[in-house]
Amino acid sequence: MYRLTSIEKHHFFGFHDLCISNNQGDKLLALQVDEIDHPPRKNQQATIGFVDIESKRYISIGQTSAWNFPQGARQQWLGDTNKFIVNDMVNNAWGSCLYDSETQEIIEKYDTPTHVVNSKLNLSFSINYSRLHRLGGYGYTGLVDNYAEDSAPSKDGIFKLNLETKKVELLISIKTVSEFGVLTPSRRHHYITHLSLSPNGDRLAFLHRYRLNDGGEMTRLMTIGIDGSNLRCLIYGYLSHYDWKDDNSILIWGRSNQTVANLRENFLLKRVFSSKLMKNLKPAVRRLLKQSKAMDMSFNLVKDSNEFSIKKIAENIITSDGHPMVNPLNRDVMICDTYPNSDGIRTLMLYRFSTNTRVDLGDYKMINDKPSDGVVKEFSTSIDPIIRDVFNAKEYSFARSGLHCDLHPRWLANGKSIAFDSIHEGTRQIYIENVENYI
């Protein structure tokens, strides 16, 4: 294992769902910032660039104000080329820019941002990052949510952009998603996040989320064809990070027992769950549910089908939430990490599906720095009051700052090495480990 980036400034990639390298493996995308002790401020710029593997030099080629620490600016390579797309502000709105890493220039600008790209068909898919930020997700600060007064807008949702023609269309609306498969849609504000394309690029997975009356959150893992057909809900309840295992199944952390979710969504019980009495009783109820194992969580293998098909995997092998990414060339292997334990240690691991075995690759300690009280006050006011009532302001400001540094391991295109972000040396940097001997 070695550090890829220089400690003179902070460097990071972001999430665990994108390959960091081009197909040749000689360039790795990264963002660069001077400070990590607060979430991004309005119009604050992060440097766009890549690390040249041969020289280990960071090459800066642009700036962006459309970024956050957990997911970067959604920078990603376009297929087998040296071009990459990255989110930025374009014409006073969230958009994206296409760069050529050879000429180090912008070669195209789009009025629509990008979350994930189907390079074979030159299509990108995106969401409303202002709504995402307002409702507590991984969005961008600086622009208002044009549908802030609408709990489930019919003109907002998942957008599809043709990168050649620049044609943009609404693939599916938040309103349609909110009404799918339910008798009475929640009146709370809905949003869509965490888009991910199947390996063959035919279907798009995403998380549909909204707050419950008792202060909790409902998450539904859903999929849709990239032509807008065949919307499905695969699992719902308390759900977290996921990746496609193959073209027909998805690996996701969460609670596969949906009894609790059904109770909380039951029309007759909603008033009970949202009452002051229930809120006071929630700790005791949680203890009882935990004893009954109704609250147990694990990774689940979910079939992308019209019927619920959920199977627990890696039980007692991976025992806490993490950030999985399946190897792009060997889908029997995934890389994953853990959240920090009581000692602030995050563990990096490999998991093999066929043998149900785990290999730990290393432990990395978080630092003890936290955002100042001034930062907490500044950033807790930028989200919806409903969300402020749910989140602890200090924890929210910390979680959206660069000090909260999940490893977020992701594969290089060769499927032999991984890259991860870490703060264990005191600055936020990108590290590389070759895991070929374990595959």
Side-chain angles (χ1 to χ4, degrees):
M1 190 273 289
Y2 68 91
R3 176 167 40 77
L4 176 70
T5 47
S6 170
I7 61 173
E8 280 73 24
K9 293 193 175 185
H10 301 281
H11 302 86
F12 64 102
F13 179 77
F15 221 42
H16 61 98
D17 61 335
L18 300 172
C19 279
I20 189 172
S21 73
N22 61 353
N23 279 358
Q24 292 77 19
D26 60 348
K27 298 182 180 71
L28 275 68
L29 295 173
L31 299 183
Q32 178 181 272
V33 294
D34 294 324
E35 301 172 341
I36 62 170
D37 62 348
H38 58 80
R41 291 187 166 95
K42 180 180 179 179
N43 298 323
Q44 182 180 343
Q45 300 288 306
T47 298
I48 301 165
F50 60 88
V51 179
D52 177 79
I53 288 292
E54 185 175 351
S55 66
K56 302 296 189 291
R57 186 169 63 94
Y58 181 78
I59 299 173
S60 167
I61 62 174
Q63 299 277 317
T64 178
S65 59
W67 63 282
N68 56 56
F69 282 107
Q71 294 196 350
R74 298 303 297 172
Q75 62 277 6
Q76 52 198 290
W77 298 99
L78 263 61
D80 190 17
T81 73
N82 281 306
K83 300 173 184 176
F84 67 90
I85 198 165
V86 58
N87 287 340
D88 197 358
M89 190 176 287
V90 177
N91 296 326
N92 298 314
W94 300 130
S96 48
C97 296
L98 183 63
Y99 281 83
D100 187 326
S101 65
E102 297 293 328
T103 63
Q104 300 179 25
E105 295 177 341
I106 295 175
I107 56 177
E108 194 60 85
K109 290 186 177 183
Y110 303 98
D111 292 331
T112 303
T114 289
H115 197 89
V116 67
V117 173
N118 181 324
S119 297
K120 292 179 181 178
L121 298 179
N122 280 316
L123 298 174
S124 83
F125 301 86
S126 67
I127 45 183
N128 180 349
Y129 288 98
S130 293
R131 187 178 190 86
L132 204 53
H133 174 76
R134 181 177 66 83
L135 295 177
Y138 298 148
Y140 307 144
T141 185
L143 296 175
V144 299
D145 175 10
N146 292 327
Y147 302 98
E149 303 302 317
D150 195 338
S151 63
S154 60
K155 295 182 179 180
D156 191 9
I158 299 175
F159 294 91
K160 180 167 72 172
L161 165 68
N162 186 307
L163 297 173
E164 291 182 347
T165 66
K166 295 191 177 183
K167 179 183 177 183
V168 179
E169 59 183 288
L170 183 62
L171 183 73
I172 192 167
S173 71
I174 294 175
K175 179 177 175 61
T176 299
V177 169
S178 72
E179 294 174 345
F180 181 81
V182 297
L183 294 176
T184 308
S186 169
R187 295 181 180 178
R188 295 296 184 106
H189 280 224
H190 299 250
Y191 67 97
I192 292 170
T193 185
H194 291 57
L195 311 186
S196 178
L197 281 164
S198 60
N200 63 13
D202 289 345
R203 291 187 64 77
L204 184 71
F206 60 93
L207 299 181
H208 165 221
R209 284 179 169 160
Y210 57 95
R211 287 283 159 192
L212 298 169
N213 291 334
D214 63 3
E217 186 174 62
M218 175 63 71
T219 299
R220 301 200 296 171
L221 173 64
M222 305 183 76
T223 62
I224 190 171
I226 61 170
D227 61 354
S229 66
N230 205 0
L231 178 65
R232 297 167 178 164
C233 175
L234 309 185
I235 183 175
Y236 60 94
Y238 181 90
L239 303 171
S240 184
H241 306 99
Y242 75 95
D243 192 20
W244 288 84
K245 167 66 172 67
D246 50 45
D247 291 324
N248 303 304
S249 58
I250 295 174
L251 172 84
I252 188 167
W253 178 267
R255 188 179 298 120
S256 62
N257 185 336
Q258 296 175 170
T259 304
V260 178
N262 289 333
L263 286 172
R264 295 170 84 182
E265 281 291 90
N266 185 287
F267 179 77
L268 296 176
L269 296 178
K270 276 185 177 181
R271 289 189 177 183
V272 177
F273 274 93
S274 61
S275 68
K276 286 186 177 180
L277 175 62
M278 186 59 197
K279 288 180 180 179
N280 292 333
L281 290 175
K282 276 179 74 174
V285 173
R286 284 183 180 276
R287 284 194 296 270
L288 288 172
L289 289 171
K290 190 172 183 180
Q291 290 173 7
S292 72
K293 298 199 174 191
M295 298 287 282
D296 281 0
M297 287 185 282
S298 66
F299 271 117
N300 301 279
L301 196 62
V302 183
K303 287 292 184 184
D304 181 20
S305 68
N306 292 318
E307 303 293 332
F308 283 123
S309 176
I310 304 165
K311 176 185 177 183
K312 287 187 177 183
I313 63 167
E315 263 193 297
N316 303 317
I317 303 295
I318 302 177
T319 56
S320 65
D321 192 6
H323 304 93
M325 185 181 185
V326 177
N327 189 308
L329 301 182
N330 178 0
R331 306 200 76 84
D332 186 40
V333 176
M334 78 170 183
I335 190 71
C336 196
D337 64 353
T338 66
Y339 279 119
N341 62 18
S342 58
D343 295 320
I345 301 294
R346 293 175 169 91
T347 299
L348 184 68
M349 71 184 82
L350 277 173
Y351 174 77
R352 186 177 294 276
F353 291 92
S354 60
T355 58
N356 192 31
T357 53
R358 159 182 167 173
V359 176
D360 287 357
L361 302 173
D363 294 327
Y364 300 92
K365 195 175 190 323
M366 61 188 290
I367 61 176
N368 296 322
D369 295 2
K370 295 291 175 68
S372 67
D373 289 342
V375 167
V376 171
K377 183 178 180 180
E378 176 186 356
F379 287 97
S380 63
T381 58
S382 67
I383 57 175
D384 195 281
I386 296 173
I387 306 303
R388 289 204 299 270
D389 290 343
V390 175
F391 281 105
N392 175 288
K394 287 187 176 181
E395 286 303 313
Y396 175 82
S397 297
F398 171 66
R400 297 299 184 267
S401 77
L403 297 171
H404 179 87
C405 182
D406 290 323
L407 301 182
H408 284 169
R410 78 286 304 185
W411 292 95
L412 274 65
N414 64 11
K416 299 177 181 179
S417 296
I418 59 167
F420 60 96
D421 299 350
S422 185
I423 203 170
H424 64 276
E425 292 186 298
T427 61
R428 185 163 181 156
Q429 304 298 338
I430 298 174
Y431 297 80
I432 303 293
E433 181 160 358
N434 186 298
V435 295
E436 187 175 6
N437 292 336
Y438 299 106
I439 299 176

